Amino acid sequence: MLLAGWCLLWLGLVLASVCASLESAAPGNWTIAPLNVLLIIVDDLRPSLGCYGDKLVRSPNIDQLASHSLLFQNAFAQQAVCAPSRVSFLTGRRPDTTRLYDFNSYWRVHAGNFSTIPQYFKENGYVTMSVGKVFHPGISSNYSDDSPYSWSIPPYHPSSEKYENTKTCRGPDGELHANLLCPVDVADVPEGTLPDKQSTEQAIRLLEKTKTSARPFFLAVGYHKPHIPFRYPKEFQKLYPLENITLAPDPQVPAGLPPVAYNPWMDIRKREDVQALNLSVPYGPIPVDFQRKIRQSYFASVSYLDAQVGRLLSALDDLQLANSTIIAFVSDHGWALGEHGEWAKYSNFDVTTRVPLMFYVPGRTAPLPEAGEKLFPYIDPFDSVLELMEPGRQVTDLVELLSLSPTLAGLAGLRVPPRCPIPSFHVERCREGQSLVKHFRFQDLEEDPYFRGNPRESIAYSQYPRPADSPQWNSDKPSLKDIKVMGYSIRTIDYRYTVWVGFNPHEFLANFSDVHAGELYFVDSDPLQDHNMYNDSQGRDLLRSLMP
């Protein structure tokens, strides 16, 4: 009865979150002319950045952006896999509304004709443009990146993207392989370039063209790295000597972790260099020396990404657009680097659902630049001495990526779409996430750079599907027809609670009376989420106290 009651509470909390009364009006005219929007979406980036307190990773350009931005310390994705997460935050709907849990359906046909962030800006007079991986390519965006609904011009994909998973990685044997670890000499790869370099160049060309346009622009730039394979210019590897690379602080599979909660990182195992390790399935483990190499290449990929972001923002400055452009920086989800004995995403843990999220709003999060002043001068990650840059204002409240849609609308001065009714499959434009515009009203705040509302009122929800109660070959990315269990997760300031329940993929229904397993982690005493208290007396006491 306790579990059933808690599951009902879960549903009640979801409904309360969706129906919460939030700002529905724009924040007022902050500038006479409409503000442009530059949305930077990164693939698989956890908050391993200097601006989030990581002392190893060299990310000076993203840190510089953070120093002029409002930075959210506790932002969470709604599902830790690319297509469902992107469709969720770009439509402002939860995965249970988009009905996308895999890569194999287009929401406009499969769920409802939901509007998207760029579509809303397009309908409000903006020129909307897409570069790189914004929507996930393939069926989930109708093989068109949701064109022509979302974009004014055809989306751009770098030509070298098609080589990402081919044999372009030079191994110790001198032969080319399809490896996980793939530092390259850019001059030697096909076309002599890499996708993210091409995306940066194209985005800069588009910015140059918009300079003379009378219409405001909405430009979304999607970067691939640090998504696997870790294919990046080999010089970035030098920033991270192996002797400086530590292991995850909790590299073992937790004793109390339900088997349904574990992701066996099957896509990692398919890479040639990982196959050569002859790892046991599903729990590994990966040898320690190779763990260090994975972490080294992930961090090197982040620094390579940082250099691309730096060049893009420097061009924005050179074109004198920094004083008229909102910049939002976000990742679609995190990535485990050995925590809990896991690699990749595909789980409900903080390490895979927590993401970097920041917004630069000219004149609001930072003063307008003076004539000739540069807010975003390019910073070389290889500089021997990098200036430590403190982030701008920071918000500690828990927020969801669902908030991206209403927040960008509000910051740009557009009407924030109304909250969604239940159900909302018939409603083209509404929001299931909160607007974060209230956090930008700095004049009402104290001088403390950390803005603290009432964090105990903030909740973030995530979910993840599984094909079975134990790890299978398709546990990481089950197709819809194979989903038998859904893990619904609540993250509060005090704890993360996950309940794994039966799921009917034909009716898209979770059966909260069919509980397969549960997880409960207390944030203060167990920040890494290694000790499952679900069946402990302390955990039962907490759940009982939450009963209606």
Side-chain angles (χ1 to χ4, degrees):
M1 290 297 294
L2 177 63
L3 289 178
W6 172 248
C7 295
L8 290 174
L9 177 61
W10 153 265
L11 286 176
L13 287 171
V14 171
L15 297 181
S17 173
V18 171
C19 297
S21 178
L22 305 166
E23 301 100 315
S24 60
N29 293 322
W30 292 344
T31 57
I32 296 174
L35 290 171
N36 306 306
V37 177
L38 172 60
L39 172 60
I40 301 173
I41 302 174
V42 185
D43 208 342
D44 290 15
L45 178 63
R46 57 197 251 160
S48 290
L49 299 165
C51 53
Y52 280 89
D54 193 305
K55 299 188 183 307
L56 175 65
V57 173
R58 297 171 74 89
S59 53
N61 293 287
I62 299 172
D63 297 345
Q64 180 171 243
L65 172 62
S67 72
H68 299 303
S69 299
L70 183 65
L71 182 145
F72 289 84
Q73 283 283 348
N74 292 297
F76 291 89
Q78 276 48 78
Q79 188 177 326
V81 68
C82 301
S85 177
R86 289 165 185 259
V87 169
S88 174
F89 69 70
L90 287 168
T91 62
R93 315 287 183 112
R94 299 185 186 278
D96 277 344
T97 304
T98 66
R99 292 180 169 176
L100 181 68
Y101 314 103
D102 57 11
F103 298 78
N104 303 319
S105 66
Y106 180 42
W107 78 90
R108 292 187 189 272
V109 174
H110 192 64
N113 188 28
F114 308 143
S115 179
T116 69
I117 298 174
Q119 180 182 354
Y120 188 43
F121 276 83
K122 180 183 176 185
E123 292 170 353
N124 279 276
Y126 280 69
V127 177
T128 58
M129 302 167 287
S130 172
V131 172
K133 185 178 178 181
V134 177
F135 286 98
H136 194 282
I139 299 174
S140 62
S141 59
N142 202 33
Y143 297 101
S144 67
D145 298 276
D146 194 46
S147 288
Y149 299 99
S150 288
W151 310 111
S152 303
I153 62 176
Y156 169 87
H157 283 278
S159 59
S160 63
E161 190 176 282
K162 59 182 174 288
Y163 304 109
E164 277 292 276
N165 293 299
T166 60
K167 294 179 182 288
T168 56
C169 315
R170 187 76 61 184
D173 58 2
E175 301 296 321
L176 293 177
H177 298 274
N179 285 345
L180 173 65
L181 311 181
C182 193
V184 298
D185 186 332
V186 176
D188 291 343
V189 299
E191 300 188 26
T193 189
L194 294 172
D196 286 346
K197 291 172 65 70
Q198 286 186 286
S199 290
T200 300
E201 292 160 1
Q202 174 66 8
I204 292 172
R205 284 192 289 268
L206 291 174
L207 288 175
E208 290 169 346
K209 290 181 179 179
T210 63
K211 174 70 174 171
T212 57
S213 173
R215 295 170 61 191
F217 67 80
F218 179 104
L219 172 60
V221 181
Y223 285 113
H224 283 73
K225 294 304 131 198
H227 193 287
I228 63 170
F230 299 125
R231 187 166 170 261
Y232 57 92
K234 63 183 181 181
E235 58 266 24
F236 285 90
Q237 194 176 54
K238 299 175 183 176
L239 294 173
Y240 303 97
L242 277 175
E243 59 268 23
N244 294 345
I245 304 298
T246 59
L247 301 179
D250 53 347
Q252 305 300 322
V253 179
L257 185 70
V260 70
Y262 181 77
N263 93 73
W265 33 280
M266 297 303 293
D267 52 354
I268 302 291
R269 298 173 189 274
K270 296 174 184 176
R271 310 292 166 166
E272 290 184 34
D273 49 352
V274 177
Q275 287 180 346
L277 300 174
N278 294 315
L279 303 175
S280 62
V281 180
Y283 293 106
I286 292 177
V288 167
D289 60 340
F290 201 84
Q291 290 188 38
R292 286 196 172 89
K293 291 179 180 178
I294 294 177
R295 291 169 67 89
Q296 175 194 48
S297 276
Y298 184 91
F299 299 145
S301 297
V302 172
S303 291
Y304 163 54
L305 159 75
D306 180 81
Q308 300 310 308
V309 172
R311 292 188 172 95
L312 175 62
L313 296 183
S314 179
L316 190 80
D317 246 346
D318 291 342
L319 294 167
Q320 299 180 338
L321 292 169
N323 61 353
S324 58
T325 303
I326 297 166
I327 304 171
F329 180 94
V330 67
S331 171
D332 54 0
H333 44 70
W335 214 81
L337 284 169
E339 293 86 359
H340 312 111
E342 296 183 333
W343 303 85
K345 46 255 188 180
Y346 316 128
S347 82
N348 281 318
F349 285 118
D350 275 17
V351 73
T352 61
T353 56
R354 183 171 170 246
V355 296
L357 176 64
M358 63 189 79
F359 297 86
Y360 160 75
V361 184
R364 300 295 296 182
T365 62
L368 292 173
E370 303 280 346
E373 178 190 4
K374 293 200 67 172
L375 281 183
F376 306 112
Y378 177 75
I379 304 173
D380 190 341
F382 292 91
D383 284 351
S384 56
V385 179
L386 291 176
E387 179 186 352
L388 180 64
M389 282 174 285
E390 293 293 332
R393 288 190 177 273
Q394 301 175 61
V395 175
T396 57
D397 287 14
L398 280 72
V399 301
E400 301 176 297
L401 288 193
L402 283 174
S403 293
L404 190 64
S405 175
T407 302
L408 282 177
L411 292 176
L414 306 182
R415 180 181 179 274
V416 174
R419 60 184 180 271
C420 290
I422 300 173
S424 65
F425 298 107
H426 62 292
V427 181
E428 178 181 350
R429 182 177 298 110
C430 64
R431 59 187 169 90
E432 294 184 357
Q434 298 186 13
S435 169
L436 304 179
V437 168
K438 63 182 180 182
H439 296 288
F440 292 82
R441 292 175 177 148
F442 296 152
Q443 66 271 23
D444 300 329
L445 308 181
E446 298 177 1
E447 290 303 312
D448 186 345
Y450 288 84
F451 170 68
R452 300 181 184 275
N454 186 352
R456 297 194 180 281
E457 293 180 356
S458 59
I459 299 174
Y461 302 92
S462 304
Q463 61 188 99
Y464 209 86
R466 294 284 191 237
D469 288 329
S470 58
Q472 311 288 317
W473 67 270
N474 61 340
S475 286
D476 295 342
K477 295 184 286 187
S479 296
L480 174 63
K481 65 181 177 59
D482 298 321
I483 298 172
K484 300 295 188 294
V485 186
M486 187 71 74
Y488 290 93
S489 195
I490 301 173
R491 176 63 155 84
T492 75
I493 200 71
D494 296 316
Y495 58 84
R496 177 176 284 285
Y497 174 74
T498 304
V499 60
W500 296 90
V501 301
F503 185 83
N504 185 326
H506 306 292
E507 298 180 359
F508 307 97
L509 289 177
N511 182 358
F512 283 89
S513 64
D514 178 22
V515 178
H516 290 227
E519 300 169 77
L520 178 63
Y521 307 99
F522 291 98
V523 174
D524 284 344
S525 59
D526 184 23
L528 301 179
Q529 300 169 13
D530 290 318
H531 304 286
N532 183 9
M533 305 295 287
Y534 179 75
N535 292 314
D536 185 86
S537 59
Q538 184 183 2
R540 289 195 295 269
D541 289 344
L542 171 64
L543 297 182
R544 190 174 294 110
S545 72
L546 294 172
M547 293 293 292

